[in-house]
């Protein structure tokens, strides 16, 4: 089974906001079969495909989602990309 994953670094000042909105982001990504991880030590976000991923393009949308979140786009707006 192949697994695709993407990681993006985010600035320190985004940490508090991301920690608050991460449960909503996780819920939205889980619905489309994507696993996600927020690493506050490294300052990174990672998305990866799971066994439940059925749409091959959705991992690229998830990659774009974490890029938007790292660039100060509000989570409700960024989630529209999915």
């Amino acid at each position: 089974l192949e697994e695709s994953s993407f990681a993006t670094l985010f600035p320190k000042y985004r940490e508090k906001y991301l920690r608050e909105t991460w449960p909503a982001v996780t819920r939205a990504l889980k619905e489309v079969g994507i696993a996600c991880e927020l690493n506050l030590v490294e300052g990174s976000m990672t998305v990866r495909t799971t066994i439940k991923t059925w749409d091959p393009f959705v991992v690229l949308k998830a990659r774009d989602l974490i890029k938007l979140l790292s660039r100060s786009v509000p989570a409700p707006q960024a989630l529209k990309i999915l």
Side-chain angles (χ1 to χ4, degrees), residues 6-67:
F6 295 98
T8 301
L9 299 175
F10 60 87
K12 193 77 174 160
Y13 65 86
R14 289 294 287 167
E15 185 177 310
K16 183 176 182 282
Y17 178 75
L18 288 171
R19 198 174 320 145
E20 292 170 3
T21 59
W22 199 248
V25 172
T26 304
R27 218 174 6 260
L29 288 172
K30 191 180 251 185
E31 286 176 16
V32 293
I34 297 290
C36 59
E37 181 182 307
L38 178 65
N39 187 330
L40 298 173
V41 176
E42 290 179 9
S44 69
M45 294 178 276
T46 308
V47 290
R48 70 174 59 85
T49 55
T50 63
I51 294 171
K52 296 178 181 171
T53 307
W54 70 91
D55 179 6
F57 194 68
V58 80
V59 73
L60 298 177
K61 291 180 182 178
R63 177 201 60 193
D64 294 343
L65 169 70
I66 61 173
K67 280 186 181 178

